[in-house]
Every structure is written in C-alpha cells, then in structure tokens.
C-alpha cells in the first residue's frame, strides 16, 4: 500500500500554500530485464512531502522517495530509503514480471489491491484481493496528469480510489501472473435507484509497453527522456476532391493525411511543410507504416491505431524516415525525433509554479493548471480571457487547442515515435 502526504501549490496564487493532503493509494513491484522497480502513478505522488510503503506482515512502513517521474504516461518510479530497508523490502515483496504483449478485447484480467492500501476499518484481509475485469477498449486516451495522448487499456469493473496505482495482471497457464499495466485513472459508473445494478466503472491502465519505454530510458540514459512527437496538425483525405487537388492517386490504394500546421519547435518543422501529404514512415527497426486517410496505421493484423502511437513508441533522438507527397511528387525526408514545446505548458511536470515579484506585482507563467485554478476546472475554457485562450493555439499540437474526436477528421498528431 502507498501512503502519501502532499502539499500541492497554488498556481493562481504562488505565494500561498495549497494545504496538506493525505491519501491512500497503491504501488507495485515489477521486474523488467532482471531489474526490480517500484511503480505507481505520477498523480499519486505529485508534490508529495512524505511517501511510505506498507507491506503485509510488517507493522513498520518503509520510507520511500520519487526517483523518476514520467508525467506524460502518469508513471513514477519509487525507491526505498536506506539500503537495509531496501533489502528488507526486496525480501518481503516479490516483483511481477512485465508482459509487453497487449491484451485483446474481452480478455479477462485481474486488478490487484494490496490490503495495506486500505484503512483498518475498510475490511482488509490477509490476502491480495483480485478484482475481475475485462478489456473493453484499447486506444489513444488523454492522460489527465499531463493532457498527453497515449495508448491505454480500458477495463470494465467496479473500483475504489485506492486502486489507482494497482497492477493489472494476466493469469498464466502455469498459475503465475504477469503485469500488463497499472491503473492510472477511472470514470465512475452510474448507479441506478431502487437497488438496480448500474454501469460499471471505466478504468484506464497504462500498458506495459509504456512502462518498458520509461524503464528503457532509465537504463540507457539514467533518466526519463519522454515520448517524442511529430508536432503536426492534419486533415484526413477521404474527400476525392481534396485528393485530386493534391494529386494523390486512387481512393483506397494510397492513403495519406494533409499537414495543416507544424509546431516550429518540432524537428519535423525542418523537413516538412504545410500542404505536404504524409504517406508512410519507417523507423530504425525497418518496419514501414503506411498512413491511412484518417491518420491511422496498421496495428496487430486487422486493427488500426493512430500514427501518434507509432511515433511515441520510439525514443527521443531516434531517426525516422517519412515518405511525403509535395507538389505532386513523392519525396523521402529524414528527421531526428524530439519533443516539441507548447507555448502554454499543459502541466507543471511536478514542479511548483515559477514566479517573480516586481514592486507589488507577482508574475507567473501561464500554464493549464493556472487557468484551471484561476477560472475553474470545468469552466476555464469559457471564463478565461480570449487573450489567454489564443495562446493555446499559438503552437500546433497543444492537447487542449487541438482536441479532436476519435475519427481524427482534423487533429493534432503530437505523436511520439
């Protein structure tokens, strides 16, 4: 179980304290390439002042601290303080191996909740309590911790807030379990009156492939590098008239998307132009991904996924080859993937708000947390001044300014490769 004491800052008034909060959540130990890691969600430990880990059979909790933070994928790597306690923790807690293969729709999985994550009056038992769940959707989802779109596993089951940070496991034929993800957010189902059964919660889990991406970064560079993005906005090319205008032949034989905007801080801005048609891309692994008319690429046989997922699965600094159609002629361009910077940061990445005092004025950065706390979390898009809202559209690819529907008729592919 994870016990956290937080002191979140006030982004609208940086000189004031936000107030101390306490929470009970979950964490898990996983094994990847022979190494052990303690993982939880970034949301669980953001602005934490004290973190302790409770283990079944031990009355004294372990003190821990955040070693690596990945707000984009809502992940945090913890480390137990002190070598004697770290060794004792390793003896008491057996890690769960990661399973990098994504589950399929309607697969039966289990969400584990350690009894130490519950208070004494909540009926904790001496056994881990598996919660039966089935996969209802796998697709691009907005991770609320950083307003970043990544692939996520959606489960249908009834949960409590202590499940945030719990491992999602797939039972194996030999009786063991493998971790396929970690619960990072949930949407409560609707309860009906009169004792009738309502809808189940929509539970979202970070897939193991994103966990492995973070751990590979740590192993290779010693820190989290992030999920690269192309930093583009595009329009689909279903329209025959639009395809004819841009000299894209055929209707089904050749797919592509029309670039409508490019973030100037993205590496793509050096080789791509507005009006180009993106046809395909090839990474260092040599796999060629043909881009469909809706901005998706083939995925697991007959499935499709946003090209943002393919880009995001790459590493920062990795080379990517793009096939484009420019002025009716096919070209091949190479770029080195990076992370474009939005003009208005969608999150603080766990840092308190910066500020400077000039005379009687307190100046701070315009960020999404500032807008939410100043004008209301649910009403800021209507209540905030137009001059501030315009800043969200200054750079293409901002997760709020370029929000799109699932059909991606006109969207931002701030995709990581």
């Amino acid at each position: 179980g994870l016990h956290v004491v937080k002191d979140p800052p006030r982004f609208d008034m940086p000189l004031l304290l936000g107030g101390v909060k306490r929470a009970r959540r979950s964490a898990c130990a996983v094994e990847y390439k022979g190494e052990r890691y303690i993982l939880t969600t970034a949301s669980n430990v953001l602005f934490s002042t004290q973190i302790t880990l409770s283990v079944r059979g031990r009355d004294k909790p372990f003190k821990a601290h955040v070693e690596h933070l990945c707000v984009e994928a809502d992940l945090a790597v913890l480390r137990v303080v002190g070598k004697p306690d770290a060794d004792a923790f390793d003896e008491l807690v057996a890690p769960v191996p990661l399973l990098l293969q994504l589950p399929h729709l309607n697969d039966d999985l289990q969400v584990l909740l350690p009894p130490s994550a519950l208070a004494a009056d909540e009926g904790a038992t001496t056994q881990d309590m598996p919660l039966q769940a089935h996969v209802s959707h796998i697709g691009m989802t907005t991770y609320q911790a950083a307003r970043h779109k990544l692939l996520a596993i959606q489960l249908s089951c009834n949960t409590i807030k202590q499940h945030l940070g719990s491992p999602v496991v797939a039972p194996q034929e030999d009786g063991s379990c493998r971790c396929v993800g970690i619960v990072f957010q949930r949407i409560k189902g609707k309860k009906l009156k009169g004792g009738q059964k309502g809808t189940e919660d929509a539970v979202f889990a970070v897939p193991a492939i994103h966990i492995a991406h973070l751990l590979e970064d740590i192993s290779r560079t010693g820190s989290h590098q992030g999920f690269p993005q192309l930093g583009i906005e595009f329009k689909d090319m279903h329209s025959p008239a639009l395809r004819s205008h841009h000299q894209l032949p055929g209707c089904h034989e050749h797919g592509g998307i029309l670039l409508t905007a490019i973030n100037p801080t993205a590496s793509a801005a050096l080789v791509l132009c507005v009006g180009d048609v993106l046809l395909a891309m090839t990474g260092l692994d040599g796999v060629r991904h043909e881009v469909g008319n809706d901005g998706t690429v083939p995925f697991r046989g007959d499935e499709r996924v946003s090209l943002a997922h393919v880009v995001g699965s790459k590493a920062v600094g990795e080379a990517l080859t793009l096939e484009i159609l420019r002025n009716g002629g096919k070209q091949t361009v190479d770029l080195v993937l990076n992370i474009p910077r939005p003009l208005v940061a969608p999150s603080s990445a766990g840092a308190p708000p910066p500020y400077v005092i000039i005379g009687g004025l307190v100046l701070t950065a315009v960020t999404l947390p500032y807008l939410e706390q100043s004008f209301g979390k649910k009403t800021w898009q209507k209540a905030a001044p137009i001059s501030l809202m315009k800043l969200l559209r200054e750079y293409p690819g901002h997760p709020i300014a370029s929000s799109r529907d699932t059909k991606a008729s006109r969207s931002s592919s701030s995709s990581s490769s």
Side-chain angles (χ1 to χ4, degrees):
L2 179 71
H3 307 262
V4 183
V5 179
K6 294 184 176 184
D7 187 12
R10 288 282 300 272
F11 287 88
D12 57 338
M13 298 182 180
L15 297 180
L16 299 182
L17 299 178
V20 176
K21 299 180 180 180
R22 291 174 171 83
R24 289 176 178 268
R25 296 294 184 263
S26 295
C28 62
V30 301
E31 180 181 356
Y32 180 66
K33 292 188 175 180
E35 298 290 335
R36 301 167 57 106
Y37 301 91
I38 306 173
L39 300 176
T40 187
T41 67
S43 302
N44 286 346
V45 295
L46 282 177
F47 310 115
S48 59
T49 58
Q50 181 181 354
I51 302 174
T52 56
L53 296 168
S54 300
V55 179
R56 182 177 63 212
R58 179 183 167 99
D59 58 348
K60 181 181 178 182
F62 295 95
K63 291 184 178 181
H65 67 89
V66 178
E67 188 174 34
H68 300 282
L69 196 64
C70 173
V71 184
E72 303 96 318
D74 207 349
L75 290 171
V77 180
L78 307 180
R79 180 175 291 274
V80 175
V81 177
K83 191 175 188 309
D85 280 352
D87 293 340
F89 183 88
D90 291 343
E91 291 181 2
L92 291 172
V93 179
V96 182
L98 285 182
L99 179 62
L100 300 185
Q101 181 180 357
L102 283 168
H104 291 80
L105 291 180
N106 296 321
D107 278 0
D108 292 324
L109 302 175
Q110 294 180 345
V111 181
L112 301 183
L113 177 65
S116 51
L118 299 173
D121 59 352
E122 291 180 295
T125 66
T126 57
Q127 300 290 330
D128 285 355
M129 293 170 281
L131 179 67
Q132 301 299 323
H134 68 274
V135 179
S136 57
H137 179 70
I138 297 177
M140 302 299 289
T141 301
T142 300
Y143 286 55
Q144 292 300 323
R147 308 306 199 280
H148 194 82
K149 278 198 171 185
L150 290 172
L151 199 72
I153 304 170
Q154 182 177 334
L155 308 171
S156 294
C157 59
N158 291 318
T159 59
I160 56 177
K161 59 186 178 181
Q162 285 87 346
H163 278 107
L164 297 176
S166 295
V168 180
V169 300
Q172 304 297 300
E173 294 181 355
D174 58 1
S176 63
C177 290
R178 301 239 175 184
C179 179
V180 298
I182 294 177
V183 176
F184 71 95
Q185 63 190 33
R186 67 192 183 111
I187 300 176
K188 289 292 294 179
K190 183 179 292 186
K191 294 183 179 179
L192 303 179
K193 295 182 180 180
Q196 297 181 6
K197 185 177 180 181
T199 58
E200 293 181 309
D201 298 349
V203 181
F204 299 89
V206 188
I209 54 175
H210 294 335
I211 300 174
H213 190 285
L214 168 63
L215 301 183
E216 287 286 353
D217 275 355
I218 296 173
S219 175
R220 187 178 65 257
T221 66
S223 63
H224 167 55
Q225 299 299 304
F227 295 83
Q229 303 171 350
L230 284 181
I232 62 173
E233 290 184 5
F234 62 84
K235 181 177 181 60
D236 65 42
M237 300 197 69
H238 292 300
S239 168
L242 184 64
R243 296 172 63 86
S244 175
H245 176 75
H246 290 276
Q247 304 178 45
L248 186 63
C251 184
H252 303 288
E253 299 84 0
H254 302 280
I257 52 175
L258 176 64
L259 305 188
T260 58
I262 304 173
N263 190 319
T265 65
S267 58
L270 301 175
V271 295
L272 297 178
C273 301
V274 173
D276 288 346
V277 178
L278 179 58
L279 304 175
M281 52 189 180
T282 306
L284 290 178
D285 53 7
V287 178
R288 182 176 181 272
H289 301 275
E290 293 187 356
V291 181
N293 293 325
D294 57 353
T296 61
V297 296
F299 176 66
R300 296 200 307 186
D302 58 349
E303 300 179 59
R304 300 191 69 86
V305 70
S306 169
L307 64 89
H309 170 64
V310 177
V311 181
S313 63
K314 310 294 182 184
V316 173
E318 187 173 333
L320 187 68
T321 300
L322 304 179
E323 298 176 29
I324 62 173
L325 190 67
R326 179 178 295 171
N327 299 324
K330 287 189 177 182
Q331 297 184 22
T332 300
V333 296
D334 298 320
L335 58 85
V336 177
L337 290 165
N338 73 338
I339 300 178
R341 292 183 176 274
L343 190 61
V344 177
S347 75
S348 66
Y355 66 90
V356 59
I357 302 176
I358 302 177
L361 296 177
V362 179
L363 306 180
T364 187
V366 178
T367 62
L368 195 56
Y370 165 80
L371 294 175
E372 290 180 339
Q373 291 189 7
S374 298
F375 305 102
K377 193 168 186 179
K378 295 183 178 180
T379 60
W380 67 269
Q381 296 190 59
K382 295 181 179 179
I386 296 177
S387 58
L388 292 181
M389 295 300 296
K390 285 182 177 179
L391 297 177
L392 293 176
R393 297 186 176 275
E394 194 70 23
Y395 283 178
H398 195 281
I400 301 300
S402 55
S403 59
R404 60 176 181 145
D405 58 15
T406 54
K407 294 185 178 180
S409 60
R410 183 183 61 193
S411 71
S412 100
S413 167
S414 44
S415 346
S416 335
S417 75

